[in-house]
mmCIF file of all heavy atoms in Angstrom:
data_model
loop_
_atom_site.group_PDB
_atom_site.id
_atom_site.type_symbol
_atom_site.label_atom_id
_atom_site.label_comp_id
_atom_site.label_asym_id
_atom_site.label_seq_id
_atom_site.Cartn_x
_atom_site.Cartn_y
_atom_site.Cartn_z
ATOM 1 N N SER A 1 2.323 -6.493 12.773
ATOM 2 C CA SER A 1 3.728 -6.264 12.264
ATOM 3 C C SER A 1 3.664 -5.816 10.812
ATOM 4 O O SER A 1 4.516 -5.015 10.390
ATOM 5 C CB SER A 1 4.528 -7.582 12.393
ATOM 6 O OG SER A 1 4.077 -8.583 11.525
ATOM 7 N N LEU A 2 2.726 -6.289 10.006
ATOM 8 C CA LEU A 2 2.593 -5.849 8.622
ATOM 9 C C LEU A 2 2.100 -4.378 8.625
ATOM 10 O O LEU A 2 2.613 -3.583 7.826
ATOM 11 C CB LEU A 2 1.591 -6.702 7.880
ATOM 12 C CG LEU A 2 1.989 -8.136 7.576
ATOM 13 C CD1 LEU A 2 0.901 -8.857 6.810
ATOM 14 C CD2 LEU A 2 3.278 -8.201 6.768
ATOM 15 N N ARG A 3 1.188 -4.003 9.440
ATOM 16 C CA ARG A 3 0.711 -2.625 9.516
ATOM 17 C C ARG A 3 1.823 -1.697 9.970
ATOM 18 O O ARG A 3 1.912 -0.567 9.516
ATOM 19 C CB ARG A 3 -0.480 -2.479 10.495
ATOM 20 C CG ARG A 3 -1.744 -3.220 9.984
ATOM 21 C CD ARG A 3 -2.970 -2.886 10.891
ATOM 22 N NE ARG A 3 -4.171 -3.522 10.394
ATOM 23 C CZ ARG A 3 -4.905 -3.072 9.400
ATOM 24 N NH1 ARG A 3 -4.555 -1.929 8.824
ATOM 25 N NH2 ARG A 3 -6.010 -3.724 9.031
ATOM 26 N N ASP A 4 2.717 -2.161 10.830
ATOM 27 C CA ASP A 4 3.831 -1.354 11.298
ATOM 28 C C ASP A 4 4.872 -1.148 10.188
ATOM 29 O O ASP A 4 5.643 -0.206 10.200
ATOM 30 C CB ASP A 4 4.489 -1.993 12.468
ATOM 31 C CG ASP A 4 3.615 -1.900 13.726
ATOM 32 O OD1 ASP A 4 2.686 -1.113 13.770
ATOM 33 O OD2 ASP A 4 3.887 -2.715 14.681
ATOM 34 N N SER A 5 4.930 -2.107 9.235
ATOM 35 C CA SER A 5 5.984 -2.126 8.214
ATOM 36 C C SER A 5 5.608 -1.534 6.881
ATOM 37 O O SER A 5 6.391 -0.940 6.188
ATOM 38 C CB SER A 5 6.452 -3.557 7.993
ATOM 39 O OG SER A 5 6.945 -4.123 9.226
ATOM 40 N N TYR A 6 4.341 -1.687 6.463
ATOM 41 C CA TYR A 6 3.919 -1.358 5.118
ATOM 42 C C TYR A 6 3.216 -0.025 5.075
ATOM 43 O O TYR A 6 2.524 0.359 6.024
ATOM 44 C CB TYR A 6 3.022 -2.449 4.547
ATOM 45 C CG TYR A 6 3.773 -3.643 4.054
ATOM 46 C CD1 TYR A 6 4.176 -4.615 4.924
ATOM 47 C CD2 TYR A 6 4.099 -3.809 2.724
ATOM 48 C CE1 TYR A 6 4.929 -5.704 4.507
ATOM 49 C CE2 TYR A 6 4.851 -4.873 2.268
ATOM 50 C CZ TYR A 6 5.227 -5.843 3.187
ATOM 51 O OH TYR A 6 5.982 -6.893 2.731
ATOM 52 N N PRO A 7 3.353 0.652 3.906
ATOM 53 C CA PRO A 7 2.601 1.929 3.711
ATOM 54 C C PRO A 7 1.119 1.619 3.507
ATOM 55 O O PRO A 7 0.766 0.525 3.091
ATOM 56 C CB PRO A 7 3.256 2.517 2.474
ATOM 57 C CG PRO A 7 3.818 1.335 1.695
ATOM 58 C CD PRO A 7 4.240 0.407 2.780
ATOM 59 N N PRO A 8 0.281 2.595 3.767
ATOM 60 C CA PRO A 8 -1.167 2.366 3.724
ATOM 61 C C PRO A 8 -1.681 1.884 2.407
ATOM 62 O O PRO A 8 -2.611 1.028 2.368
ATOM 63 C CB PRO A 8 -1.720 3.798 4.034
ATOM 64 C CG PRO A 8 -0.711 4.489 4.759
ATOM 65 C CD PRO A 8 0.594 4.014 4.190
ATOM 66 N N GLN A 9 -1.133 2.322 1.249
ATOM 67 C CA GLN A 9 -1.694 1.943 -0.019
ATOM 68 C C GLN A 9 -1.486 0.473 -0.329
ATOM 69 O O GLN A 9 -2.112 -0.091 -1.236
ATOM 70 C CB GLN A 9 -1.130 2.785 -1.200
ATOM 71 C CG GLN A 9 0.278 2.379 -1.691
ATOM 72 C CD GLN A 9 1.365 3.079 -0.931
ATOM 73 O OE1 GLN A 9 1.193 3.536 0.181
ATOM 74 N NE2 GLN A 9 2.537 3.131 -1.574
ATOM 75 N N LEU A 10 -0.557 -0.221 0.397
ATOM 76 C CA LEU A 10 -0.348 -1.629 0.199
ATOM 77 C C LEU A 10 -1.167 -2.509 1.092
ATOM 78 O O LEU A 10 -1.255 -3.723 0.882
ATOM 79 C CB LEU A 10 1.159 -1.985 0.345
ATOM 80 C CG LEU A 10 2.118 -1.401 -0.665
ATOM 81 C CD1 LEU A 10 3.523 -1.916 -0.383
ATOM 82 C CD2 LEU A 10 1.711 -1.745 -2.077
ATOM 83 N N ILE A 11 -1.726 -1.990 2.146
ATOM 84 C CA ILE A 11 -2.458 -2.765 3.152
ATOM 85 C C ILE A 11 -3.660 -3.478 2.496
ATOM 86 O O ILE A 11 -3.898 -4.694 2.749
ATOM 87 C CB ILE A 11 -2.862 -1.919 4.334
ATOM 88 C CG1 ILE A 11 -1.609 -1.523 5.124
ATOM 89 C CG2 ILE A 11 -3.845 -2.723 5.233
ATOM 90 C CD1 ILE A 11 -0.816 -2.704 5.656
ATOM 91 N N GLU A 12 -4.446 -2.756 1.666
ATOM 92 C CA GLU A 12 -5.572 -3.398 0.991
ATOM 93 C C GLU A 12 -5.109 -4.548 0.157
ATOM 94 O O GLU A 12 -5.797 -5.590 0.017
ATOM 95 C CB GLU A 12 -6.349 -2.361 0.186
ATOM 96 C CG GLU A 12 -7.161 -1.382 0.969
ATOM 97 C CD GLU A 12 -7.999 -0.489 0.083
ATOM 98 O OE1 GLU A 12 -9.019 -1.023 -0.448
ATOM 99 O OE2 GLU A 12 -7.645 0.673 -0.098
ATOM 100 N N ALA A 13 -4.040 -4.384 -0.550
ATOM 101 C CA ALA A 13 -3.542 -5.472 -1.424
ATOM 102 C C ALA A 13 -2.961 -6.603 -0.632
ATOM 103 O O ALA A 13 -3.271 -7.776 -0.857
ATOM 104 C CB ALA A 13 -2.511 -4.905 -2.394
ATOM 105 N N TYR A 14 -2.052 -6.283 0.308
ATOM 106 C CA TYR A 14 -1.262 -7.329 0.949
ATOM 107 C C TYR A 14 -1.873 -7.904 2.226
ATOM 108 O O TYR A 14 -1.450 -8.900 2.722
ATOM 109 C CB TYR A 14 0.106 -6.759 1.256
ATOM 110 C CG TYR A 14 0.965 -6.466 0.050
ATOM 111 C CD1 TYR A 14 2.149 -5.799 0.164
ATOM 112 C CD2 TYR A 14 0.555 -6.901 -1.220
ATOM 113 C CE1 TYR A 14 2.964 -5.536 -0.984
ATOM 114 C CE2 TYR A 14 1.360 -6.650 -2.330
ATOM 115 C CZ TYR A 14 2.539 -5.932 -2.215
ATOM 116 O OH TYR A 14 3.284 -5.697 -3.304
ATOM 117 N N LEU A 15 -2.956 -7.238 2.745
ATOM 118 C CA LEU A 15 -3.671 -7.807 3.905
ATOM 119 C C LEU A 15 -5.062 -8.296 3.433
ATOM 120 O O LEU A 15 -5.536 -9.360 3.817
ATOM 121 C CB LEU A 15 -3.857 -6.770 4.998
ATOM 122 C CG LEU A 15 -2.705 -6.624 5.972
ATOM 123 C CD1 LEU A 15 -3.004 -5.639 7.049
ATOM 124 C CD2 LEU A 15 -2.361 -7.921 6.606
ATOM 125 N N GLN A 16 -5.754 -7.482 2.623
ATOM 126 C CA GLN A 16 -7.133 -7.779 2.242
ATOM 127 C C GLN A 16 -7.217 -8.625 0.965
ATOM 128 O O GLN A 16 -8.287 -9.155 0.627
ATOM 129 C CB GLN A 16 -7.927 -6.517 2.082
ATOM 130 C CG GLN A 16 -7.985 -5.638 3.329
ATOM 131 C CD GLN A 16 -8.707 -6.319 4.481
ATOM 132 O OE1 GLN A 16 -9.448 -7.267 4.324
ATOM 133 N NE2 GLN A 16 -8.492 -5.825 5.684
ATOM 134 N N GLY A 17 -6.133 -8.635 0.188
ATOM 135 C CA GLY A 17 -6.160 -9.371 -1.094
ATOM 136 C C GLY A 17 -7.009 -8.615 -2.139
ATOM 137 O O GLY A 17 -7.517 -9.251 -3.046
ATOM 138 N N GLU A 18 -7.042 -7.306 -2.049
ATOM 139 C CA GLU A 18 -7.826 -6.493 -2.976
ATOM 140 C C GLU A 18 -6.948 -5.913 -4.048
ATOM 141 O O GLU A 18 -5.749 -5.676 -3.904
ATOM 142 C CB GLU A 18 -8.566 -5.351 -2.213
ATOM 143 C CG GLU A 18 -9.532 -5.817 -1.184
ATOM 144 C CD GLU A 18 -10.796 -6.421 -1.777
ATOM 145 O OE1 GLU A 18 -11.061 -6.177 -2.958
ATOM 146 O OE2 GLU A 18 -11.518 -7.133 -1.051
ATOM 147 N N PHE A 19 -7.547 -5.653 -5.201
ATOM 148 C CA PHE A 19 -6.864 -5.005 -6.307
ATOM 149 C C PHE A 19 -6.916 -3.484 -6.083
ATOM 150 O O PHE A 19 -7.996 -2.886 -6.046
ATOM 151 C CB PHE A 19 -7.483 -5.378 -7.678
ATOM 152 C CG PHE A 19 -7.373 -6.794 -8.006
ATOM 153 C CD1 PHE A 19 -8.439 -7.657 -7.803
ATOM 154 C CD2 PHE A 19 -6.217 -7.309 -8.584
ATOM 155 C CE1 PHE A 19 -8.330 -9.013 -8.158
ATOM 156 C CE2 PHE A 19 -6.096 -8.628 -8.917
ATOM 157 C CZ PHE A 19 -7.158 -9.496 -8.690
ATOM 158 N N VAL A 20 -5.756 -2.862 -5.957
ATOM 159 C CA VAL A 20 -5.671 -1.428 -5.831
ATOM 160 C C VAL A 20 -4.618 -0.927 -6.789
ATOM 161 O O VAL A 20 -3.697 -1.642 -7.154
ATOM 162 C CB VAL A 20 -5.322 -1.026 -4.340
ATOM 163 C CG1 VAL A 20 -6.403 -1.431 -3.420
ATOM 164 C CG2 VAL A 20 -4.000 -1.640 -3.906
ATOM 165 N N ASN A 21 -4.731 0.342 -7.139
ATOM 166 C CA ASN A 21 -3.783 0.906 -8.115
ATOM 167 C C ASN A 21 -2.502 1.256 -7.417
ATOM 168 O O ASN A 21 -2.445 2.130 -6.544
ATOM 169 C CB ASN A 21 -4.390 2.152 -8.733
ATOM 170 C CG ASN A 21 -3.703 2.485 -10.066
ATOM 171 O OD1 ASN A 21 -2.510 2.172 -10.253
ATOM 172 N ND2 ASN A 21 -4.411 3.120 -10.983
ATOM 173 N N LEU A 22 -1.448 0.562 -7.743
ATOM 174 C CA LEU A 22 -0.139 0.765 -7.129
ATOM 175 C C LEU A 22 0.791 1.531 -8.057
ATOM 176 O O LEU A 22 1.927 1.811 -7.674
ATOM 177 C CB LEU A 22 0.502 -0.584 -6.750
ATOM 178 C CG LEU A 22 -0.288 -1.504 -5.868
ATOM 179 C CD1 LEU A 22 0.472 -2.801 -5.611
ATOM 180 C CD2 LEU A 22 -0.627 -0.809 -4.531
ATOM 181 N N THR A 23 0.367 1.907 -9.262
ATOM 182 C CA THR A 23 1.239 2.517 -10.215
ATOM 183 C C THR A 23 0.559 3.683 -10.909
ATOM 184 O O THR A 23 0.530 3.796 -12.150
ATOM 185 C CB THR A 23 1.704 1.524 -11.282
ATOM 186 O OG1 THR A 23 0.597 0.919 -11.913
ATOM 187 C CG2 THR A 23 2.587 0.426 -10.673
ATOM 188 N N SER A 24 -0.034 4.600 -10.173
ATOM 189 C CA SER A 24 -0.592 5.803 -10.710
ATOM 190 C C SER A 24 -0.361 6.967 -9.778
ATOM 191 O O SER A 24 -0.085 6.784 -8.574
ATOM 192 C CB SER A 24 -2.136 5.671 -10.979
ATOM 193 O OG SER A 24 -2.832 5.550 -9.753
ATOM 194 N N GLY A 25 -0.484 8.197 -10.328
ATOM 195 C CA GLY A 25 -0.177 9.341 -9.490
ATOM 196 C C GLY A 25 1.253 9.472 -9.161
ATOM 197 O O GLY A 25 2.149 9.072 -9.928
ATOM 198 N N THR A 26 1.565 10.070 -8.019
ATOM 199 C CA THR A 26 2.965 10.227 -7.615
ATOM 200 C C THR A 26 3.543 8.875 -7.112
ATOM 201 O O THR A 26 2.821 8.043 -6.548
ATOM 202 C CB THR A 26 3.074 11.265 -6.505
ATOM 203 O OG1 THR A 26 2.295 10.931 -5.400
ATOM 204 C CG2 THR A 26 2.622 12.662 -7.028
ATOM 205 N N VAL A 27 4.838 8.755 -7.310
ATOM 206 C CA VAL A 27 5.520 7.524 -6.885
ATOM 207 C C VAL A 27 5.619 7.443 -5.376
ATOM 208 O O VAL A 27 5.588 6.319 -4.793
ATOM 209 C CB VAL A 27 6.908 7.435 -7.559
ATOM 210 C CG1 VAL A 27 7.663 6.203 -7.121
ATOM 211 C CG2 VAL A 27 6.782 7.492 -9.053
ATOM 212 N N TYR A 28 5.714 8.602 -4.720
ATOM 213 C CA TYR A 28 5.942 8.607 -3.265
ATOM 214 C C TYR A 28 4.760 9.335 -2.580
ATOM 215 O O TYR A 28 4.967 10.457 -2.027
ATOM 216 C CB TYR A 28 7.289 9.228 -2.910
ATOM 217 C CG TYR A 28 8.404 8.511 -3.550
ATOM 218 C CD1 TYR A 28 8.994 8.951 -4.776
ATOM 219 C CD2 TYR A 28 8.942 7.314 -2.992
ATOM 220 C CE1 TYR A 28 10.003 8.255 -5.381
ATOM 221 C CE2 TYR A 28 10.003 6.668 -3.611
ATOM 222 C CZ TYR A 28 10.518 7.119 -4.795
ATOM 223 O OH TYR A 28 11.517 6.430 -5.378
ATOM 224 N N PRO A 29 3.575 8.796 -2.581
ATOM 225 C CA PRO A 29 2.408 9.508 -2.050
ATOM 226 C C PRO A 29 2.461 9.708 -0.508
ATOM 227 O O PRO A 29 1.755 10.531 0.016
ATOM 228 C CB PRO A 29 1.238 8.583 -2.421
ATOM 229 C CG PRO A 29 1.833 7.225 -2.531
ATOM 230 C CD PRO A 29 3.209 7.465 -3.079
ATOM 231 N N GLN A 30 3.309 8.910 0.178
ATOM 232 C CA GLN A 30 3.364 9.023 1.620
ATOM 233 C C GLN A 30 4.230 10.183 2.073
ATOM 234 O O GLN A 30 4.244 10.514 3.290
ATOM 235 C CB GLN A 30 3.896 7.698 2.219
ATOM 236 C CG GLN A 30 3.080 6.471 1.879
ATOM 237 C CD GLN A 30 1.577 6.708 2.054
ATOM 238 O OE1 GLN A 30 1.135 7.281 3.076
ATOM 239 N NE2 GLN A 30 0.760 6.334 1.059
ATOM 240 N N PHE A 31 4.988 10.810 1.188
ATOM 241 C CA PHE A 31 5.816 11.933 1.578
ATOM 242 C C PHE A 31 5.003 13.217 1.701
ATOM 243 O O PHE A 31 4.252 13.546 0.802
ATOM 244 C CB PHE A 31 6.937 12.128 0.566
ATOM 245 C CG PHE A 31 7.793 13.354 0.877
ATOM 246 C CD1 PHE A 31 8.662 13.359 1.975
ATOM 247 C CD2 PHE A 31 7.673 14.487 0.116
ATOM 248 C CE1 PHE A 31 9.444 14.492 2.244
ATOM 249 C CE2 PHE A 31 8.456 15.625 0.376
ATOM 250 C CZ PHE A 31 9.304 15.604 1.454
#
């Protein structure tokens, strides 16, 4: 259900508990 709901860049953080850059590059990378 989390994979169905969240964008890919958040899965490492919110499923794996890893530190990933959430505030660099474009704001909407999934578009």
